[in-house]
Amino acid sequence: MFFNYAIGLRTSLMVTLASVIALIVDADDPWWAAMSAMTVANADWTNVWRKGIQRVIGTIAGGFSGYWIAVAVKNYEVFQMIAVGCLAALAIYKRMASPNYAYAWLMGIVTAMLAIYISLLEIDLLFYLMVDRTITVAIGVMTAAVVSYYFLEETSLGVGVGPYLTPNIDTMDKSWVIALCLSGAAVAMLAPIIYVGHELAAMVQIIITSLVVLYGPVVSVKKFALNRSLGCLIGGLMGFGLIGLGLQSFFWWALLLAIGLFFLASVHHGKSYWAYAGTQGGYAFVIAALASAGPVDNFNQVIDRLVGVVLGAVIAICVLIVVRIWQGADFPDIEHINQKKARKPRVKKT
């Protein structure tokens, strides 16, 4: 089932509500609320609760630790690069080694890395920006929880989550795990260099994309890369269309936002190979729509996000290939094909 319209409608409602609330409280980055609501959206109430708590706790812990790390290394560029590299490697490893709390680890470390990246430009505003991010994340999570509770309090429906995989790190090739961690660290340290000439959003998307893509076995890396790239392209184009209209009416802007989210969320909750593309498309769409805190045409934010996503996926794969060659392994796709052939039982000819 490619679309799931029933759950897509509910997700559209909660993300739109989260966006409006974030705009009402005048959050600096209101799209974090919308992204948080879409991230924790799930057909099962217990999953909404579990994922929401992990996102909030991870954000708070990451913001607190990241703030103090950023303050400690603010005048030492070498230590700043080492810090983000180590954090990226830790994020990739813990996502695979701690599946029950993988999302909390990912959100916590991403927030900590974000604090360090922000400190490169705006150390004086760092504390305020971390508090603002935590509040907007909490708005999105609470909105998703309330909507889910009233719609699905008595249900235990399941939902397809597309390419999400829970890899067993104990069964994975140790050299592959090391390659993923080293590649993530390298991309994290390269991001501030590549980001020059773009907004902070581009640099952040480079590292977030690399952490998403560099996860699990070879087939998982390929799937995440394809889904994230395609989803961001579609969501970005939809966002261009919305902000290109230059709507000044908040009602019509919110209505079109909800309609776009309905389509993307329906894909997001489907059970196809491309379900994760709907997730990423939703992220790109809300960032474009909320880039100017309402119905104002501003293309810069969505362009920077798309640039960052494309660079992040390409750089992550290229660095991974270089690391695998350095390890003496085959090209990743060839290696995966060889592993499949090795597992395929031989049939004797008669």
Side-chain angles (χ1 to χ4, degrees):
M1 183 170 58
F2 192 85
F3 295 100
N4 191 325
Y5 296 112
I7 304 174
L9 179 62
R10 177 179 61 85
T11 301
S12 173
L13 173 61
M14 69 173 62
V15 176
T16 302
L17 283 175
S19 302
V20 172
I21 294 172
L23 292 174
I24 290 174
V25 302
D26 197 25
D28 275 3
D29 297 325
W31 57 83
W32 284 118
M35 292 173 67
S36 298
M38 187 160 190
T39 299
V40 303
N42 196 286
D44 184 81
W45 162 248
T46 57
N47 287 336
V48 172
W49 176 257
R50 186 182 304 113
K51 203 166 188 180
I53 287 296
Q54 288 198 35
R55 187 173 180 95
V56 172
I57 293 177
T59 300
I60 294 173
F64 179 81
S65 59
Y67 173 79
W68 289 110
I69 293 174
V71 171
V73 300
K74 64 179 181 179
N75 295 321
Y76 306 96
E77 292 184 3
V78 173
F79 291 115
Q80 288 173 333
M81 294 300 100
I82 293 175
V84 294
C86 291
L87 286 171
L90 179 63
I92 292 172
Y93 178 80
K94 294 302 291 186
R95 283 187 72 198
M96 296 183 291
S98 181
N100 292 332
Y101 304 101
Y103 193 60
W105 278 106
L106 177 63
M107 291 309 305
I109 295 176
V110 165
T111 304
M113 295 176 67
L114 179 62
I116 297 174
Y117 286 137
I118 292 174
S119 70
L120 299 176
L121 303 173
E122 301 174 308
I123 187 67
D124 295 334
L125 297 176
L126 180 58
F127 181 80
Y128 167 78
L129 293 174
M130 288 295 100
V131 172
D132 181 81
R133 171 174 161 78
T134 302
I135 292 174
T136 51
V137 166
I139 288 173
V141 171
M142 291 303 297
T143 303
V146 170
V147 173
S148 297
Y149 180 80
Y150 280 103
F151 273 76
L152 299 162
E153 184 178 5
E154 302 297 330
T155 188
S156 59
L157 290 172
V159 65
V161 288
Y164 282 114
L165 302 174
T166 305
N168 186 345
I169 196 171
D170 295 328
T171 62
M172 293 175 61
D173 181 8
K174 297 299 183 284
S175 66
W176 176 252
V177 175
I178 293 172
L180 292 176
C181 294
L182 288 178
S183 300
V187 175
M189 290 186 286
L190 288 172
I193 301 173
I194 299 169
Y195 129 88
V196 175
H198 302 284
E199 295 293 332
L200 181 64
M203 180 172 65
V204 172
Q205 289 309 314
I206 288 174
I207 184 56
I208 291 178
T209 298
S210 69
L211 294 182
V212 169
V213 169
L214 298 171
Y215 176 63
V218 175
V219 64
S220 179
V221 171
K222 178 181 177 181
K223 186 177 288 187
F224 276 117
L226 290 175
N227 272 261
R228 185 169 174 83
S229 300
L230 178 62
C232 286
L233 176 61
I234 294 173
L237 291 176
M238 291 175 61
F240 276 131
L242 177 59
I243 62 180
L245 294 174
L247 297 173
Q248 299 301 311
S249 169
F250 189 85
F251 171 79
W252 290 110
W253 173 84
L255 180 61
L256 291 178
L257 173 67
I259 292 173
L261 285 170
F262 170 65
F263 168 75
L264 294 168
S266 297
V267 177
H268 163 70
H269 286 294
K271 296 181 179 180
S272 71
Y273 178 92
W274 301 104
Y276 191 61
T279 313
Q280 293 302 319
Y283 291 161
F285 183 57
V286 295
I287 284 183
L290 298 170
S292 301
V296 181
D297 52 339
N298 185 334
F299 291 87
N300 293 333
Q301 193 75 27
V302 65
I303 292 175
D304 283 318
R305 174 176 167 81
L306 290 175
V307 168
V309 168
V310 173
L311 285 177
V314 171
I315 295 169
I317 298 300
C318 290
V319 172
L320 179 60
I321 292 174
V322 171
V323 172
R324 292 300 281 165
I325 293 175
W326 172 72
Q327 289 179 326
D330 295 329
F331 187 80
D333 280 341
I334 296 176
E335 180 182 354
H336 176 61
I337 293 172
N338 290 337
Q339 289 175 354
K340 289 180 66 177
K341 289 180 178 179
R343 290 195 300 267
K344 185 177 181 180
R346 296 182 179 179
V347 179
K348 294 183 179 180
K349 295 182 179 180
T350 57

